[in-house]
Every structure is written in structure tokens, then in C-alpha cells.
Amino acid sequence: MRTQVEYFKKAADNMICYPSKEEHLARSLFLLSGGGNDFSAFDPSTASPQAYVVKMVTTYIEHIQALYDMGARMVGILDVPPIGCTPGQRVGMPNGECNEQANSLAQAFNGLLRAKLAEAAEATMKELKYSIAANYNILNNMMDNSLVAGLRHVKTACCGSGKLNAEVMCSHPGTTACPAAEHDDYMFWDMLHPTHATIERGVVALFYGNGPKYGEPVNFGTLVAGKNVSPAIKMVVD
């Protein structure tokens, strides 16, 4: 994410906007998503889980502060999903259940991010308007109520091979994908990534779901409501 913020600064430095670059950036929605890949790289031999989470959150806030200093005033953040419930994590568990140790790291990060961002906004980003979408809760709800969400398969990947179609990454030799007509029945495309159907349902929830179950301090819809948002959405992803 640091590299992408640097790339954006280079682009912003060369922007020519009417009536002003400052107004354009202030009216833009900056969408950030990060953290999942960082947990994949976690090595417990080099740091405790608590210290790792603190470092991640501290770095995340630094990136948001950097964007704020460039002129960002409206930020939408996706928190870390239940990373222990991907097919790739389930395949290593005795009965295909979620890896709750991995999920606990995601929950610790999400909770600390909310607390520290609120503190930082009050201290050094007083004009910041933001929403932290409860990606974790939204995907958990889909798994717990899969038929209501229109999903028939929440444990098995559409594309891959082996147990749960998650022992070999999709596109590697010997892997196959589910029939095209069934793509929308699956929560996960491969051992890690959600399908378009999952993402479409999640977007509706993060924009229009009510209460902290879906977003804090407000949902994405409330964040942008009544604002003349620029058509271009700035994205920073991991």
C-alpha cells in the first residue's frame, strides 16, 4: 500500500483540475482495502500476534494520514474479512471448519483499526469523513445464511483441485473450474478470492446495511450521501 500511496502522490502532483485540485480531491471517495495478505506473511517466530497487529494498524493509519495530507477528506475502508474461512484455510483443518486462529487475528486488527482511526481523526485529521465497512461481518453473515444470500457452496472453491477444490490454486496444471452456469452459486472463485456474486452482494450490504454490523461510524451510502462526489474513485488495494 505504501508504494501505491507514493504512486498516487506522483499522479496528484501533476493533476490539473477545475475549479481546483484541492476541491476535486476533497470531493473524491478514496477506497482502501488491505491486511489480508499481510496476515499470510505473518511469522510467529519474529513477532507476537499482538505486536504484529499493532504494527499493521499503525502503518495503515500512516497511509491514511498521508492521503489526508494530500487532500483526501472522504475515505471508505474495507476491514479484513474472515480470512480463516477461505477454502485454502479450511482445507488444512480436520473437518473443513474455519481456522479460528486466523480469524482472531483479523478480528483483533479490525477492532484496533476502528479505535486508532477514531483517535487519529480527532487528533490530526479533523476534516476526515470515513466509513469502515464491516467486511468481516458481511461475509460471515453470508456463510451463516448462505441460502438466503443465494449461495449454495461456501466451503468449496469453484476453481482448483483436490479437497474443497483448494489444494491447488486455480489456473495451475490439473485444475478445473465449475460450470459457467454455476459460478454464482459459489462464495469463492478459488482457494482465496470471492466470486463476483459474493462481491455484488457485499457491496449492497456495505452501502445500505444499517448499524455497526455493516459499517462504522456510518455505512458507505451515508458517507457519500448529499455530497457531490467526483466520478473518479481513487482505489488503494493490497
Side-chain angles (χ1 to χ4, degrees):
M1 188 181 287
R2 174 175 284 105
T3 300
Q4 294 182 65
V5 171
E6 291 172 354
Y7 285 161
F8 179 76
K9 184 180 187 306
K10 292 179 181 179
D13 286 344
N14 292 302
M15 288 173 61
I16 299 175
C17 306
Y18 180 82
S20 71
K21 178 170 65 177
E22 291 73 19
E23 182 176 339
H24 178 80
L25 294 177
R27 292 164 52 205
S28 298
L29 172 63
F30 288 72
L31 180 60
L32 287 80
S33 174
N37 289 346
D38 297 276
F39 284 121
S40 298
F42 172 57
D43 182 356
S45 69
T46 61
S48 69
Q50 295 81 2
Y52 193 74
V53 166
V54 169
K55 176 61 176 176
M56 284 178 60
V57 170
T58 300
T59 303
Y60 210 136
I61 300 298
E62 289 174 355
H63 295 326
I64 297 172
Q65 181 73 58
L67 291 171
Y68 182 87
D69 292 343
M70 293 179 214
R73 292 296 182 268
M74 184 163 51
V75 176
I77 300 166
L78 303 180
D79 73 10
V80 176
I83 53 177
C85 294
T86 63
Q89 285 290 323
R90 288 180 185 270
V91 75
M93 304 303 290
N95 299 305
E97 69 271 23
C98 293
N99 182 338
E100 295 304 336
Q101 183 176 4
N103 281 346
S104 68
L105 288 173
Q107 290 176 304
F109 173 86
N110 292 339
L112 188 61
L113 177 63
R114 283 165 169 77
K116 293 301 182 182
L117 182 54
E119 292 177 6
E122 177 63 26
T124 61
M125 297 181 279
K126 293 186 180 297
E127 296 180 9
L128 182 69
K129 305 296 182 184
Y130 69 90
S131 171
I132 302 179
N135 212 21
Y136 189 101
N137 293 340
I138 291 169
L139 293 181
N140 248 355
N141 288 342
M142 288 189 199
M143 285 183 278
D144 292 341
N145 303 281
S146 57
L147 294 181
V148 175
L151 300 169
R152 294 177 57 200
H153 308 283
V154 298
K155 296 182 178 181
T156 303
C158 172
C159 182
S161 68
K163 182 182 177 182
L164 301 181
N165 244 9
E167 291 182 311
V168 181
M169 176 60 85
C170 179
S171 79
H172 284 199
T175 60
T176 57
C178 60
E182 298 178 12
H183 285 185
D184 288 352
D185 293 338
Y186 284 77
M187 184 168 192
F188 290 94
W189 168 249
D190 57 26
M191 64 169 65
L192 296 174
H193 304 101
T195 59
H196 285 176
T198 302
I199 292 171
E200 288 172 356
R201 290 162 173 79
V203 167
V204 172
L206 64 88
F207 264 90
Y208 304 111
N210 292 320
K213 181 178 180 180
Y214 297 100
E216 294 183 75
V218 297
N219 61 28
F220 275 27
T222 301
L223 177 67
V224 301
K227 291 186 177 290
N228 186 13
V229 181
S230 297
I233 297 179
K234 312 299 182 295
M235 300 188 69
V236 179
V237 298
D238 66 346

